[in-house]
Every structure is written in C-alpha cells, then in structure tokens.
Amino acid sequence: MARRVLMLLAGLALAGCQVLSTPLATEPNSNTEPTLYQQLGERAGLAEIVEDLLYLIVDDKRINHQFKGINVAQFHRHLTDQLCQLSGGPCTYSGRPMRKAHADMAITETQFNALAENLILAMEQNGISTGAQNRLLKRLIPMHPDIRNL
Ligand code: HEM
C-alpha cells in the first residue's frame, strides 16, 4: 500500500499534464469488461466504501480533528455521489465545489495523503481490485490543488 500512496504522490506531480488530458472515454467498456463503476460495486458498493472510510478517518489522529462537527450523513451522501459520478455511474454530485468545501482547512500534504491512504484501505476492505483502486485514485488526483487550496 505504501508503494501505491507513493505512486499517487508521483502522479500528483504529473496531474497538470498527463492525467487531465486523459479522456474518460479510454475506459474499457465492452460487454465482457466491467466499467470502473461496476468494479467499485456500483452506488451501493461505493456507499459501503465511504462508510468504512469514515470509520478509518475517525480513528486517524492525523486528520480526525478536521472532521469534528461535520454533518456525517451529508458528507457520506455527497462523497458517495461524487465517487459514483467520477467512476462513470448514474449519479449527480450536489455538494459544493472542492475548493469551497475545503477552504480555510489548511489541509497539508500529509493530511491529503492520509485521506488517500484511508480510501485505499477502505477499498481493500471491500475487495476492490488494485487496478480499479488505481483508476479511481487517478481520477481524484486533479482535485488535489483545489482540496489543498493551492
Ligand atoms: C481526494 C481527496 C478528497 C475528496 C475527494 C474529498 C471530497 C469531499 C466531498 C465530496 C465533500 C462534501 C462537500 C459538501 O458536502 O459540500 C468533502 C467535505 C469535507 N472534506 Fe473532503 N475530500 C478530500 C480530501 C479531504 C481531506 C484531505 C480532508 C482533511 C484532512 C478533508 C476534509 C473534509 C471535511 C472536514 C469536509 C466537510 C466540510 C463541511 O461539511 O463543512 N477532505 N470532501
């Protein structure tokens, strides 16, 4: 897992050029190959992943203080819808833009990576393949500057 967090970090450096220019249409989507959305267990599977992520966040001293007092049900719904939409599912994210949602939090690189690590763990716990995990992480990378308010 540490290796994949490192890969995510390496990917961040490339986010401006490679990842952003990768069209989502490159997603394999024949009748035999499941889409990323399907590989993540569709919306119900993503809801489980986000629930497990929330438990991991609560237990993680590196970041749990940032989440004190949030509306947990709303966060769960919004993050699930966001990941659903991002993976090609039939959902519409209705939360705030990432820069606005994370403004004034002064999120550090370490905290961003801690969240990514917990998301990987939550996906592991739900039996998501490494390939599907990496494909989802790759789609999250372009959000990094907004979440960190860079
Ligand atoms: C890839 C990384 C991340 C993604 C995709 C993400 C996504 C989201 C989404 C969808 C929301 C809901 C926004 C809304 O309801 O309008 C949210 C809220 C929030 N995020 Fe993040 N986030 C990420 C990283 C982080 C990190 C690293 C932290 C802190 C360590 C963080 C802390 C929060 C908090 C505290 C809220 C609740 C804000 C509020 O309700 O006022 N997020 N995030």
Side-chain angles (χ1 to χ4, degrees):
M1 160 163 15
R3 193 162 156 264
R4 270 182 310 113
V5 172
L6 281 176
M7 278 172 57
L8 177 64
L9 285 174
L12 288 175
L14 301 173
C17 43
Q18 282 191 332
V19 176
L20 286 173
S21 63
T22 304
L24 296 184
T26 55
E27 188 72 52
N29 188 14
S30 69
N31 286 337
T32 49
E33 184 124 18
T35 64
L36 178 55
Y37 173 63
Q38 287 166 338
Q39 287 180 312
L40 293 167
E42 307 195 344
R43 198 184 183 289
L46 283 163
E48 292 285 337
I49 292 168
V50 174
E51 186 175 337
D52 289 345
L53 171 64
L54 272 164
Y55 285 116
L56 291 165
I57 289 172
V58 168
D59 283 342
D60 191 334
K61 289 195 175 72
R62 295 172 295 178
I63 52 174
N64 54 13
H65 59 280
Q66 296 270 29
F67 290 82
K68 281 210 175 96
I70 68 159
N71 180 332
V72 176
Q74 181 179 276
F75 175 80
H76 182 274
R77 189 176 71 253
H78 283 165
L79 184 55
T80 303
D81 280 338
Q82 185 190 52
L83 298 181
C84 170
Q85 187 174 329
L86 204 61
S87 62
C91 309
T92 304
Y93 172 63
S94 61
R96 291 160 292 170
M98 288 296 92
R99 187 169 287 273
K100 205 166 189 180
H102 300 91
D104 306 322
M105 285 188 205
I107 293 172
T108 65
E109 201 60 14
T110 304
Q111 290 174 337
F112 184 90
N113 291 331
L115 196 288
E117 194 183 307
N118 286 324
L119 177 59
I120 292 169
L121 263 174
M123 289 193 283
E124 286 285 340
Q125 286 172 7
N126 284 272
I128 306 301
S129 71
T130 306
Q133 290 179 31
N134 288 342
R135 282 156 75 199
L136 182 64
L137 292 171
K138 198 170 163 185
R139 293 181 187 193
L140 291 170
I141 286 170
M143 297 177 183
H144 172 261
D146 284 343
I147 289 166
R148 289 219 45 226
N149 267 268
L150 297 176

